[in-house]
C-alpha cells in the first residue's frame, strides 16, 4: 500500500515559534517525522512509504521533493488507489492506531485532527481529492459525499493530536515514547502538574 | 453493567468563565450531561446508569447526591465490579466510542483526556481505585501496575475531548450533534475558519 507523508522541510512548525527557535523547530519536526516513520514501520503490512517534502530532507525513507502547495502536491498522488496520507507531526501515532485506518475497507477512511484538520486518510477510490484549506475535515467529508464514496471516520486520539501549538507539547510529554519526546526532554521541557490541565513548561 | 457519571451541579465548568456566565455554564453543562446520557442510551448493552452529582439535578437518569470530593465519591462506588465511570462533559461521545471501552475484557479499560486527565474507564477488578488530582491518567496506569491488574488503553478522540476550556468549544461545533452543540449555536457561537486551527467565536 502506498503511503505519502507530507513534510515541510523549509519552515516547519511556525506556530511553535513562541517556544522554539527556527533551528529547534527544524530539529523537532525531523524528530516527529522519524516517529511517524517508525510507527508506519511497525504496521503489520507491506507499506511503500514516501516522504513528500517541500525541500531536501535526510530521512530513512524515499523522499520526493515537491515545493507546490500541500493540496496540489497531495492531489497529484491520489490518482493511484489505494493511497494513504499521514501527516508528519503525529508524534503520538502508533502502529495500532495506523492499522485501524489502514485496515478499513471504506472508499475513504479518515481521521480528524483537533481543530478541524485532517490528520490521516486512506483513499481506496481515486475520485477522492483533498482541500487542506480551512476546516479540511468537514470539507473532505463533503467531497466524499459529492463523489458518492463510502466513508469510515476513524476515532483515534493518537491520530487526532497533531503537534502545532505549544499546548500540544504536553501531549508529547504525556504520551510520546519516541524521538520527539526525547528531543523535548533534552531541550528542557517538562510537565507542570498544577491546576486544570497539565502543561509543558521549559526550565 | 454499572455506569457512574460524575457531575458538578453547583459550579460547573469554571474554566469556561471567560466566555459563559455562571447560568450559561450550568445550562451548557446540563446539555453535555444529556448528550453523554444519550450516548450511553445508544450502547447495545444493558446499562445501569447513575449520575453522581454534587447537588440536586434534574435529569433523565437516577441521581445520587454526594458532595464529597470527586476522588472520594468515585472510589466509594468502585467496590462493585464491573463499574464504568464516564465524565459528564464528553460532548462528542458516541455509542460506538463507549462500546470500545465497555467491550474490553481487561481488568481496567481506560481512555485518556487531553491534558493528562482520565475521561472514562471500566474497572472489572475492585482493586482499582482513582486519584483524580493532577495528571490522573498516568497515576491511574501506575495504580493498575501496582495492583497487578491488566490494562487496555482505549484510543478515542471522541472520549479524549472533554469540554473544559474555550478552545474545546470548537470541537463541539465541529463534531457534536446533540444538545451541547445546539446550545452553543443558540448562544451565538460559530466556527471561525481563519488561519491555523478553526476557532469558536461568539457573535
Amino acid at each position: 500500500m502506498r503511503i505519502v507523508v507530507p513534510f515541510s522541510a523549509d519552515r516547519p512548525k511556525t506556530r511553535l515559534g513562541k517556544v522554539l527557535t527556527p533551528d529547534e523547530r527544524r530539529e523537532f519536526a525531523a524528530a516527529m517525522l522519524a516517529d511517524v516513520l517508525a510507527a508506519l514501520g511497525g504496521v503489520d503490512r507491506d507499506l511503500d512509504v514516501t516522504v513528500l517534502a517541500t525541500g531536501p530532507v535526510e530521512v530513512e525513507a524515499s523522499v520526493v521533493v515537491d515545493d507546490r502547495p500541500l493540496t496540489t502536491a497531495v492531489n497529484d498522488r491520489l490518482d493511484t488507489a489505494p493511497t494513504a496520507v499521514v501527516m508528519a507531526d503525529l508524534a503520538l501515532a502508533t502502529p495500532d492506531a495506523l492499522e485501524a485506518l489502514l485496515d478499513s475497507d471504506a472508499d475513504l477512511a479518515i481521521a480528524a485532527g483537533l481543530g478541524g484538520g485532517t490528520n490521516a486518510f486512506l483513499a481506496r477510490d481515486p475520485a477522492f481529492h483533498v482541500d487542506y484549506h480551512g476546516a479540511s475535515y468537514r470539507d473532505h467529508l463533503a467531497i466524499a459525499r459529492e463523489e458518492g464514496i463510502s466513508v469510515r471516520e476513524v476515532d483515534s486520539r493518537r491520530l487526532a493530536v497533531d503537534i502545532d501549538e505549544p499546548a500540544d507539547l504536553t501531549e508529547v510529554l504525556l504520551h510520546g515514547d519516541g524521538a520527539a519526546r526525547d528531543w523535548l526532554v533534552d531541550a528542557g521541557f517538562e510537565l507542570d502538574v498544577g491546576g486544570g490541565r497539565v502543561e509543558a513548561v521549559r526550565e
Side-chain angles (χ1 to χ4, degrees), chain A:
Chain A
M1 183 182 289
R2 296 199 332 155
I3 314 278
V4 175
V5 181
F7 180 70
S8 170
D10 312 321
R11 288 179 303 165
K13 302 285 118 200
T14 49
R15 281 185 279 157
L16 289 175
K18 277 186 191 161
V19 294
L20 298 178
T21 69
D23 278 353
E24 287 177 331
R25 298 205 299 272
R26 267 188 289 271
E27 286 179 25
F28 181 57
M32 293 200 289
L33 173 61
D35 285 346
V36 168
L37 295 175
L40 286 166
V43 168
D44 190 19
R45 263 176 189 274
D46 221 16
L47 302 182
D48 171 17
V49 178
T50 301
V51 174
L52 177 63
T54 56
V57 54
E58 279 188 34
V59 65
E60 294 196 21
S62 62
V63 175
V64 171
V65 173
D66 188 333
D67 63 3
R68 293 176 298 169
L70 179 64
T71 294
T72 315
V74 167
N75 276 333
D76 241 24
R77 278 152 187 92
L78 295 182
D79 46 6
T80 307
T83 294
V85 177
V86 177
M87 291 301 165
D89 60 353
L90 306 187
L92 307 189
T94 56
D96 280 355
L98 289 163
E99 275 168 22
L101 181 88
L102 302 178
D103 286 350
S104 169
D105 292 326
D107 296 331
L108 176 69
I110 185 165
L114 296 178
T118 301
N119 283 0
F121 69 86
L122 165 64
R124 293 188 179 275
D125 187 322
F128 180 69
H129 54 275
V130 296
D131 177 355
Y132 281 110
H133 182 76
S136 72
Y137 189 73
R138 302 217 300 190
D139 295 342
H140 290 153
L141 295 185
I143 289 168
R145 211 161 34 230
E146 282 158 22
E147 300 288 352
I149 65 181
S150 66
V151 174
R152 172 152 177 252
E153 297 188 63
V154 176
D155 175 26
S156 168
R157 173 178 59 86
R158 289 190 170 275
L159 300 183
V161 176
D162 47 344
I163 311 302
D164 283 324
E165 303 184 0
D168 303 327
L169 301 181
T170 310
E171 301 300 320
V172 182
L173 289 173
L174 280 165
H175 301 288
D177 63 355
R181 181 178 185 281
D182 290 348
W183 190 93
L184 286 178
V185 171
D186 286 348
F189 285 91
E190 59 184 11
L191 291 172
D192 177 18
V193 184
R197 287 183 181 167
V198 178
E199 286 178 22
V201 296
R202 201 170 191 179
E203 286 164 349

Coordinates of all heavy atoms in Angstrom, one line a residue, chain A residues 17-70:
Chain A
G17 N 6.7 28.9 17.3 CA 7.7 30.0 17.3 C 7.9 30.7 18.7 O 8.9 31.2 19.0
K18 N 6.8 30.6 19.5 CA 6.9 31.2 20.8 C 7.8 30.5 21.8 O 8.3 31.0 22.7 CB 5.5 31.3 21.4 CG 4.7 32.5 20.9 CD 3.4 32.7 21.7 CE 2.5 33.7 21.0 NZ 1.1 33.6 21.4
V19 N 8.0 29.2 21.5 CA 8.8 28.4 22.5 C 10.0 27.7 21.8 O 10.9 27.2 22.6 CB 7.9 27.3 23.1 CG1 6.8 27.9 24.0 CG2 7.2 26.4 22.1
L20 N 10.1 27.7 20.5 CA 11.3 27.1 19.9 C 11.8 28.0 18.8 O 11.1 28.7 18.1 CB 10.9 25.8 19.2 CG 10.3 24.7 20.1 CD1 9.9 23.5 19.2 CD2 11.4 24.2 21.1
T21 N 13.2 28.1 18.7 CA 13.8 28.8 17.6 C 13.6 28.1 16.3 O 13.2 27.0 16.3 CB 15.3 28.9 17.9 OG1 15.9 27.6 17.7 CG2 15.6 29.4 19.3
P22 N 13.9 28.8 15.2 CA 13.7 28.2 13.9 C 14.6 26.9 13.8 O 14.1 25.9 13.3 CB 14.2 29.2 12.9 CG 13.9 30.5 13.6 CD 14.1 30.3 15.0
D23 N 15.8 26.9 14.2 CA 16.6 25.7 14.2 C 16.0 24.6 15.0 O 16.0 23.4 14.7 CB 18.1 26.0 14.7 CG 18.9 26.6 13.6 OD1 18.5 26.6 12.4 OD2 20.1 27.0 13.9
E24 N 15.5 24.9 16.2 CA 14.9 23.9 17.1 C 13.7 23.4 16.4 O 13.4 22.2 16.6 CB 14.6 24.6 18.4 CG 15.8 24.8 19.3 CD 15.4 25.5 20.6 OE1 14.4 26.3 20.7 OE2 16.1 25.3 21.6
R25 N 12.9 24.2 15.8 CA 11.7 23.7 15.1 C 12.0 22.7 14.0 O 11.3 21.7 13.9 CB 10.9 24.9 14.6 CG 10.4 25.9 15.7 CD 9.2 26.7 15.3 NE 9.4 27.5 14.1 CZ 9.8 28.7 14.1 NH1 10.2 29.3 15.2 NH2 9.9 29.4 13.0
R26 N 13.1 23.0 13.3 CA 13.5 22.0 12.3 C 13.9 20.7 12.9 O 13.5 19.6 12.4 CB 14.7 22.6 11.5 CG 14.2 23.3 10.2 CD 15.3 23.7 9.3 NE 16.1 24.8 9.9 CZ 15.9 26.1 9.7 NH1 14.9 26.5 8.9 NH2 16.6 27.0 10.3
E27 N 14.7 20.8 14.0 CA 15.1 19.5 14.7 C 13.9 18.8 15.2 O 13.8 17.5 15.0 CB 16.0 19.8 15.8 CG 17.4 20.3 15.4 CD 18.3 20.6 16.7 OE1 18.0 20.1 17.8 OE2 19.2 21.4 16.5
F28 N 13.0 19.5 15.9 CA 11.8 18.8 16.5 C 10.9 18.2 15.4 O 10.4 17.1 15.5 CB 11.1 19.9 17.3 CG 9.9 19.3 18.0 CD1 10.0 18.2 18.9 CD2 8.6 19.9 17.9 CE1 8.9 17.7 19.6 CE2 7.5 19.4 18.5 CZ 7.7 18.3 19.4
A29 N 10.7 19.0 14.3 CA 9.9 18.5 13.2 C 10.5 17.2 12.6 O 9.8 16.2 12.3 CB 9.8 19.5 12.1
A30 N 11.9 17.2 12.5 CA 12.5 16.0 12.0 C 12.3 14.8 13.0 O 12.2 13.6 12.5 CB 14.0 16.2 11.8
A31 N 12.4 15.1 14.3 CA 12.2 14.0 15.3 C 10.7 13.5 15.1 O 10.5 12.2 15.2 CB 12.4 14.6 16.7
M32 N 9.8 14.3 15.0 CA 8.4 13.8 14.8 C 8.2 13.0 13.5 O 7.5 12.0 13.6 CB 7.4 15.0 14.8 CG 7.3 15.7 16.2 SD 5.8 16.7 16.4 CE 6.2 18.1 15.2
L33 N 8.9 13.5 12.5 CA 8.8 12.7 11.2 C 9.4 11.3 11.4 O 8.8 10.3 11.0 CB 9.6 13.4 10.1 CG 9.8 12.7 8.8 CD1 8.4 12.4 8.1 CD2 10.6 13.5 7.8
A34 N 10.5 11.3 12.2 CA 11.1 10.0 12.4 C 10.2 9.1 13.2 O 10.1 7.9 13.0 CB 12.4 10.1 13.2
D35 N 9.4 9.7 14.2 CA 8.5 8.9 15.0 C 7.3 8.4 14.1 O 6.9 7.2 14.3 CB 7.9 9.7 16.1 CG 8.9 9.9 17.2 OD1 9.9 9.2 17.3 OD2 8.6 10.8 18.1
V36 N 6.8 9.2 13.2 CA 5.8 8.8 12.3 C 6.2 7.6 11.4 O 5.5 6.6 11.2 CB 5.2 10.0 11.5 CG1 4.3 9.5 10.3 CG2 4.5 11.0 12.4
L37 N 7.5 7.8 10.9 CA 8.0 6.7 10.0 C 8.2 5.4 10.8 O 8.0 4.3 10.3 CB 9.3 7.2 9.4 CG 9.2 8.3 8.4 CD1 10.5 8.8 7.9 CD2 8.3 8.0 7.2
A38 N 8.6 5.6 12.1 CA 8.8 4.4 12.9 C 7.5 3.7 13.2 O 7.4 2.5 13.2 CB 9.5 4.8 14.2
A39 N 6.4 4.5 13.4 CA 5.1 3.9 13.7 C 4.6 3.2 12.4 O 4.1 2.1 12.5 CB 4.1 5.0 14.1
L40 N 4.8 3.8 11.2 CA 4.5 3.1 10.0 C 5.3 1.8 9.8 O 4.8 0.8 9.3 CB 4.7 4.1 8.8 CG 3.7 5.2 8.7 CD1 4.2 6.3 7.7 CD2 2.3 4.6 8.2
G41 N 6.6 1.9 10.2 CA 7.4 0.7 10.1 C 6.9 -0.4 11.0 O 7.2 -1.6 10.7
G42 N 6.2 -0.1 12.0 CA 5.7 -1.1 12.9 C 4.3 -1.7 12.5 O 3.8 -2.7 13.1
V43 N 3.8 -1.2 11.4 CA 2.5 -1.7 11.0 C 2.7 -3.1 10.3 O 3.6 -3.2 9.5 CB 1.9 -0.7 9.9 CG1 0.7 -1.3 9.2 CG2 1.4 0.6 10.7
D44 N 1.8 -4.0 10.6 CA 2.0 -5.4 10.1 C 1.4 -5.5 8.7 O 0.4 -6.2 8.4 CB 1.2 -6.3 11.0 CG 1.5 -7.8 10.7 OD1 2.6 -8.0 10.0 OD2 0.8 -8.6 11.1
R45 N 2.0 -4.8 7.7 CA 1.6 -4.8 6.3 C 2.8 -4.3 5.5 O 3.6 -3.6 6.0 CB 0.5 -3.6 6.1 CG -0.9 -4.0 6.2 CD -1.7 -2.8 6.1 NE -3.1 -3.1 6.3 CZ -3.9 -3.5 5.3 NH1 -3.5 -3.6 4.1 NH2 -5.2 -3.8 5.6
D46 N 2.7 -4.6 4.2 CA 3.7 -4.2 3.3 C 3.4 -2.7 2.9 O 2.4 -2.5 2.2 CB 3.8 -5.1 2.1 CG 5.2 -5.4 1.7 OD1 6.1 -5.1 2.5 OD2 5.4 -5.8 0.6
L47 N 4.2 -1.8 3.3 CA 3.9 -0.4 3.0 C 5.0 0.2 2.2 O 6.2 -0.1 2.4 CB 3.8 0.5 4.3 CG 2.7 0.0 5.3 CD1 2.7 1.0 6.5 CD2 1.3 0.0 4.7
D48 N 4.6 1.0 1.2 CA 5.6 1.7 0.3 C 5.5 3.2 0.7 O 4.6 3.9 0.3 CB 5.1 1.5 -1.1 CG 5.9 2.3 -2.1 OD1 7.0 2.8 -1.7 OD2 5.4 2.5 -3.2
V49 N 6.4 3.6 1.6 CA 6.3 4.9 2.2 C 7.2 6.0 1.5 O 8.3 5.7 1.2 CB 6.7 4.9 3.7 CG1 6.7 6.3 4.3 CG2 5.9 3.9 4.5
T50 N 6.6 7.1 1.1 CA 7.3 8.2 0.5 C 7.1 9.5 1.3 O 6.0 9.8 1.7 CB 6.8 8.5 -0.9 OG1 7.0 7.3 -1.7 CG2 7.6 9.6 -1.6
V51 N 8.2 10.1 1.6 CA 8.1 11.5 2.3 C 8.0 12.5 1.1 O 8.8 12.5 0.3 CB 9.3 11.7 3.2 CG1 9.2 13.2 3.7 CG2 9.3 10.7 4.3
L52 N 6.9 13.2 1.2 CA 6.6 14.3 0.2 C 7.0 15.6 0.8 O 6.3 16.2 1.5 CB 5.1 14.3 -0.2 CG 4.6 15.3 -1.2 CD1 5.2 15.1 -2.5 CD2 3.1 15.2 -1.2
A53 N 8.3 16.0 0.5 CA 8.9 17.1 1.2 C 8.9 18.4 0.3 O 9.1 18.3 -0.9 CB 10.3 16.8 1.7
T54 N 8.9 19.5 0.9 CA 8.9 20.8 0.2 C 10.4 21.1 -0.2 O 10.6 22.0 -1.0 CB 8.4 22.0 1.1 OG1 9.1 22.0 2.3 CG2 6.9 21.8 1.3
G55 N 11.3 20.4 0.4 CA 12.7 20.6 0.0 C 13.5 19.4 0.5 O 12.9 18.4 1.1
P56 N 14.8 19.3 0.2 CA 15.6 18.2 0.6 C 15.5 17.9 2.1 O 15.5 18.8 2.9 CB 17.0 18.6 0.2 CG 16.9 19.7 -0.8 CD 15.6 20.4 -0.4
V57 N 15.5 16.6 2.4 CA 15.5 16.2 3.8 C 16.2 14.8 3.9 O 16.0 14.0 3.0 CB 14.0 16.1 4.4 CG1 13.1 15.3 3.5 CG2 14.0 15.7 5.8
E58 N 17.0 14.7 5.0 CA 17.6 13.4 5.2 C 16.8 12.6 6.1 O 16.6 12.9 7.3 CB 19.0 13.6 5.8 CG 20.0 14.0 4.7 CD 21.5 14.0 5.3 OE1 21.8 13.2 6.2 OE2 22.2 14.9 4.8
V59 N 16.3 11.4 5.6 CA 15.4 10.6 6.4 C 15.5 9.2 5.9 O 15.9 9.0 4.7 CB 14.0 11.2 6.4 CG1 13.5 11.1 4.9 CG2 13.1 10.6 7.4
E60 N 15.2 8.2 6.8 CA 15.2 6.8 6.3 C 14.0 6.4 5.6 O 13.2 5.6 6.1 CB 15.5 5.9 7.6 CG 16.9 6.2 8.2 CD 17.3 5.1 9.1 OE1 16.8 4.0 9.0 OE2 18.2 5.3 10.0
A61 N 13.7 7.0 4.5 CA 12.6 6.7 3.6 C 12.9 7.3 2.3 O 13.8 8.2 2.2 CB 11.3 7.2 4.2
S62 N 12.1 6.9 1.3 CA 12.3 7.6 0.0 C 11.7 8.9 0.1 O 10.6 9.1 0.7 CB 11.8 6.7 -1.2 OG 10.4 6.5 -1.0
V63 N 12.3 9.9 -0.6 CA 11.8 11.3 -0.5 C 11.6 11.8 -1.9 O 12.3 11.5 -2.8 CB 12.9 12.2 0.2 CG1 12.5 13.7 0.1 CG2 13.2 11.8 1.6
V64 N 10.4 12.5 -2.0 CA 10.1 13.2 -3.3 C 10.0 14.6 -2.9 O 9.3 15.0 -2.0 CB 8.8 12.7 -3.9 CG1 8.4 13.6 -5.1 CG2 8.9 11.2 -4.4
V65 N 10.7 15.5 -3.6 CA 10.7 16.9 -3.3 C 9.6 17.6 -4.3 O 9.7 17.4 -5.5 CB 12.0 17.6 -3.5 CG1 11.9 19.1 -3.4 CG2 13.0 17.1 -2.4
D66 N 8.7 18.3 -3.7 CA 7.6 19.0 -4.4 C 7.3 20.2 -3.7 O 6.8 20.2 -2.6 CB 6.4 18.0 -4.5 CG 5.3 18.6 -5.5 OD1 5.3 19.8 -5.6 OD2 4.6 17.8 -6.0
D67 N 7.7 21.4 -4.2 CA 7.5 22.6 -3.5 C 6.2 23.3 -3.8 O 6.0 24.5 -3.4 CB 8.7 23.5 -3.7 CG 8.8 24.0 -5.2 OD1 8.0 23.6 -6.0 OD2 9.8 24.7 -5.5
R68 N 5.3 22.7 -4.4 CA 4.0 23.3 -4.6 C 3.1 23.2 -3.3 O 3.5 22.5 -2.4 CB 3.2 22.5 -5.8 CG 3.9 22.7 -7.1 CD 3.2 21.8 -8.2 NE 3.3 20.4 -7.8 CZ 2.6 19.4 -8.5 NH1 1.7 19.8 -9.4 NH2 2.7 18.2 -8.1
P69 N 2.0 24.0 -3.3 CA 1.2 23.9 -2.1 C 0.8 22.5 -1.8 O 0.6 21.7 -2.7 CB 0.0 24.8 -2.5 CG 0.5 25.7 -3.5 CD 1.5 24.9 -4.3
L70 N 0.5 22.3 -0.5 CA 0.2 20.9 0.0 C -0.9 20.3 -0.8 O -0.8 19.1 -1.2 CB -0.2 21.0 1.5 CG -0.5 19.7 2.2 CD1 0.6 18.8 2.2 CD2 -1.0 20.0 3.6

